[in-house]
C-alpha cells in the first residue's frame, strides 16, 4: 500500500500546490519542461529521475507551465479519486494548449501504465504516454511527438532500476532526500493496482545505493529515506565484485543494506518506507537497535484488523500474527514509533470485522495512520473475485470511526511525550511561522520550536524538550 509519505504528499498535491521542480539555469537549456507529481513517494522520486533524463535531452526545468514547451503529469492510480484529480488537471491544460498548440503534454506513472494508449483516446490533448519502467525512452518519444506523432511506451521491465541515473533533487529542503532502492511488488494484495502498474520486484545494485547516500551526505544532506513499495524484501545479488567502495561480494539483504548505509556517518539519519509486515525480520529490528542514526520508526500497514478480511486481501498474515509483530518491534526497539494504513469497507466487511479493526488499532496504539475507504480498482484481483458490496454510506461511517479513534491515539501518543527531550534534525522553517524551526524526532514526529535564543541552523541536530502538543505536532524548546 502506498506509504506514509504518500498521504502527506497527496495532501500537499491536493492543496493545488502540486510539486513543480526547482528551476534550472535558463541560459543552459533552450527548451523548458514543467512536471507535476501525484501519489506516492516513488512517483516523486521517479520525477527526479525524469528531470535528470530531460536535462540530458536539452530540457531545463521551470516552475511556470506558462513558459514550458513540455508539460508532464506523473500520475497515481491507487484510488478512483487520484485518477479524477489527474483528469481535472488535464482539462486545465487543455485550455493552455488551445492557446499554445505547440505545447507538448505527457502523462507518466501508474495511471499511464494502467490505461496505456487508451489514454490518448480518452484525453485527446495528451501527446506522450509513458509507464514507470520506460523513462529512458523519453528522448525518442519526445522527438516523435515533436514530429507530430502520438508517442507511447508502457513496457514493464524485470531489470530496470535506473541505478545509473543521478536524480535531480526537486523541491528539496537540502536536508532530507529519498533514495529509491527497489521497484515493483510481488505481493499481489487483492485490492492493489501496483503490481500491474509497476511490475515485478527488482532490487537496485547495493553499491550504487550506498554511493548515492554518500554523495548526498557529502553535499550536506543529513537524512536519507530508503524507498520501495516493499523495502524489506530488498535482496540484491551482485554478479561480480567491482573494487568500488562498497564492493559487496555476497547477497545483500535489506538488514545488510540498512547497516551499510548507517555506517556512512553517525550524522546521517536513515529512514525507510514501506514495510510489508511479513518481511520485517528480527535482523532488521536488531540492526535498527544497534545504530543510533537509524530512525526508530516503522510504517507497518495492516489494512484491516479482521483475519477473515486479511485473507480476502491476500495480506498473508492474521490479526494475531500482526499483533505479535507489534510486540516484537516494541521488545527489540522500546519506544519505536509505529504508523499504519487502514482500509474501511472492503468487500463483505461486517460490523464485527470493523470492530476487529478498531480493537487492533487500540492494541497497536499507532502514532499515526493513513485511512481510506475501499475504492475498487479495475483489473485487480478483488475486482475480479469479489463484489464491492459495502454501501458507500457505511464505508464512510466506518472510516469516520477509524479516523476518530486514530485522532485520539495520536493525541495520547503526543501527550506521552510531554516533558521528554528528543534529538531533532532541523528541516527548515515551520509552515505556520518563519519565527519557528520545524524538525522531526527519530520516531518521525514533527516538532516545532522557536528560533529565539539559539543559533541553530537548518540541517543541525538539536535537543528539544516537549512543552506542549496537538494531535499532529509536538511543541517544544531547545535545551
Ligand atoms: S500489492 Fe500489497 S504490498 Fe504491494 S504495493 Fe500493493 S498493497 Fe503494497
Amino acid at each position: 500500500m502506498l506509504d506514509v509519505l504518500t498521504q502527506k504528499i497527496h495532501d500537499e498535491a491536493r492543496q493545488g500546490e502540486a510539486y513543480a521542480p526547482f528551476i534550472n539555469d535558463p541560459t543552459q537549456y533552450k527548451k523548458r519542461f514543467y512536471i507535476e507529481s501525484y501519489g506516492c513517494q516513488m512517483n516523486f522520486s521517479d520525477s527526479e529521475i525524469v528531470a535528470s533524463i530531460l536535462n540530458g535531452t536539452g530540457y531545463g526545468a521551470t516552475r511556470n507551465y506558462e513558459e514550458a514547451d513540455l508539460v508532464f503529469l506523473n500520475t497515481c492510480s491507487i484510488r478512483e479519486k487520484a485518477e479524477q484529480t489527474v483528469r481535472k488537471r488535464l482539462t486545465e491544460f487543455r485550455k493552455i494548449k488551445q492557446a499554445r498548440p505547440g505545447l507538448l503534454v505527457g502523462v507518466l506513472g501508474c495511471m499511464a501504465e494502467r490505461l496505456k494508449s487508451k489514454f490518448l483516446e480518452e484525453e485527446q490533448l495528451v501527446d506522450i504516454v509513458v509507464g514507470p519502467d520506460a523513462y529512458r525512452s523519453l528522448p525518442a518519444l519526445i522527438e516523435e511527438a515533436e514530429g507530430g506523432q502520438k508517442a507511447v511506451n508502457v513496457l514493464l521491465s524485470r531489470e530496470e532500476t535506473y541505478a545509473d541515473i543521478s536524480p535531480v533533487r526537486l523541491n528539496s529542503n537540502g536536508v532530507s532526500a529519498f533514495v529509491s532502492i527497489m521497484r515493483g511488488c510481488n505481493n499481489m494484495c487483492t485490492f492493489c493496482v501496483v503490481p500491474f502498474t509497476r511490475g515485478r520486484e527488482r532490487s537496485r545494485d547495493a553499491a550504487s545505493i550506498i554511493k548515492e547516500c554518500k554523495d548526498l551526505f557529502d553535499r550536506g544532506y543529513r537524512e536519507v529515506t530508503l524507498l520501495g513499495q516493499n523495502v524489506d524484501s530488498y535482496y540484491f545479488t551482485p554478479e561480480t565484485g567491482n573494487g568500488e567502495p562498497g564492493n559487496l561480494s555476497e547477497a545483500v539483504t535489506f538488514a545488510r543494506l540498512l547497516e551499510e548505509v548507517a555506517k556512512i556517518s553517525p550524522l546521517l539519519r536513515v529512514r525507510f518506507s514501506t514495510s510489508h509486515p511479513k518481511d520485517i525480520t528480527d535482523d532488521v529490528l536488531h540492526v535498527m537497535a544497534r545504530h543510533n542514526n537509524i530512525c526508530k520508526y516503522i510504517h507497518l500497514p495492516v489494512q484491516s484488523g479482521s483475519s477473515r478480511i486479511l485473507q480476502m486481501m491476500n495480506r498473508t498474515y492474521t490479526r494475531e500474527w500482526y499483533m505479535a509483530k507489534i510486540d516484537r518491534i516494541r521488545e527489540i526497539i522500546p519506544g519505536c514509533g509505529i504508523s499504519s494504513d487502514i482500509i474501511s469497507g472492503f468487500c463483505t466487511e461486517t460490523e464485527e470485522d470493523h470492530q476487529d479493526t478498531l480493537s487492533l488499532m487500540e492494541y497497536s496504539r499507532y502514532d499515526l495512520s493513513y485511512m481510506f475507504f475501499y475504492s475498487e480498482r479495475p483489473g485487480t484481483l478483488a475486482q475480479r473475485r469479489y463484489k464491492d458490496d459495502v454501501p458507500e454510506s457505511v464505508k464512510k461511517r466506518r472510516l469516520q470511526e477509524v479516523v476518530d479513534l486514530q485522532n485520539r491515539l495520536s493525541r495520547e501518543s503526543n501527550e506521552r511525550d510531554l516533558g521528554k527531550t528528543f534529538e531533532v534534525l532541523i528541516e527548515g522553517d515551520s509552515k505556520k511561522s518563519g519565527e519557528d524551526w520545524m524538525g522531526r524526532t527519530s520516531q518521525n514526529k514533527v516538532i516545532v520550536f522557536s528560533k529565539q535564543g539559539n543559533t541553530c541552523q537548518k540541517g543541525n541536530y538539536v535537543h528539544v524538550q516537549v512543552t506542549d502538543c496537538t494531535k499532529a505536532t509536538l511543541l517544544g524548546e531547545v535545551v
Side-chain angles (χ1 to χ4, degrees), residues 180-386:
S180 151
I181 67 168
M182 63 185 297
R183 300 180 72 80
C185 187
N186 291 352
N187 285 322
M188 300 308 283
C189 301
T190 57
F191 53 81
C192 186
V193 287
V194 171
F196 307 99
T197 59
R198 284 187 167 271
R200 296 278 78 67
E201 262 170 35
R202 63 227 97 124
S203 296
R204 180 181 159 193
D205 176 337
S208 74
I209 296 167
I210 294 162
K211 183 174 176 308
E212 184 176 332
C213 295
K214 262 208 190 94
D215 290 351
L216 285 164
F217 183 74
D218 297 342
R219 285 165 53 198
Y221 286 81
R222 286 294 169 267
E223 182 181 89
V224 290
T225 299
L226 306 180
L227 271 188
Q229 308 300 151
N230 181 14
V231 282
D232 302 77
S233 61
Y234 177 90
Y235 189 78
F236 178 73
T237 48
E239 306 309 318
T240 60
N242 55 17
E244 286 292 321
N247 171 18
L248 303 147
S249 53
E250 74 266 2
V252 183
T253 61
F254 181 61
R256 177 98 194 277
L257 178 72
L258 199 53
E259 186 136 51
E260 292 298 327
V261 174
K263 283 187 201 160
I264 290 171
S265 164
L267 293 177
L268 181 66
R269 267 188 175 181
V270 186
R271 296 184 185 277
F272 57 88
S273 193
T274 288
S275 304
H276 189 293
K278 74 174 173 39
D279 295 315
I280 197 145
T281 60
D282 277 10
D283 279 359
V284 170
L285 298 177
H286 286 302
V287 168
M288 290 176 74
R290 265 202 306 275
H291 296 270
N292 267 342
N293 60 327
I294 301 179
C295 292
K296 305 300 177 274
Y297 165 73
I298 296 174
H299 182 61
L300 205 67
V302 69
Q303 308 303 357
S304 170
S306 152
S307 294
R308 186 182 70 84
I309 295 290
L310 288 170
Q311 192 170 14
M312 289 178 69
M313 287 177 164
N314 189 30
R315 289 292 287 175
T316 72
Y317 52 81
T318 61
R319 131 191 207 94
E320 291 72 22
W321 186 95
Y322 181 91
M323 290 157 84
K325 185 57 77 174
I326 293 282
D327 295 345
R328 189 73 180 143
I329 291 171
R330 292 200 165 125
E331 187 190 320
I332 297 175
I333 313 170
C336 186
I338 302 179
S339 62
S340 195
D341 292 340
I342 311 275
I343 294 178
S344 284
F346 187 69
C347 315
T348 78
E349 186 189 69
T350 62
E351 208 49 44
E352 197 194 336
D353 297 321
H354 171 55
Q355 291 306 321
D356 281 347
T357 297
L358 296 175
S359 62
L360 183 141
M361 290 174 69
E362 197 80 70
Y363 182 87
S364 307
R365 288 187 291 118
Y366 295 126
D367 300 328
L368 179 96
S369 289
Y370 294 86
M371 303 154 279
F372 310 94
F373 63 73
Y374 174 59
S375 165
E376 185 183 74
R377 306 307 296 130
T380 56
L381 297 174
Q383 188 239 356
R384 283 183 249 160
R385 289 182 190 160
Y386 313 125

Side-chain angles (χ1 to χ4, degrees), residues 146-181:
E146 284 170 343
Q149 308 295 314
K150 297 285 185 184
V152 180
N153 185 348
V154 286
L155 284 177
L156 285 175
S157 158
R158 285 180 177 273
E159 283 83 39
E160 183 61 86
T161 63
Y162 303 114
D164 59 323
I165 297 180
S166 301
V168 172
R169 301 291 159 186
L170 301 174
N171 233 10
S172 167
N173 60 10
V175 174
S176 48
F178 294 94
V179 176
S180 151
I181 67 168

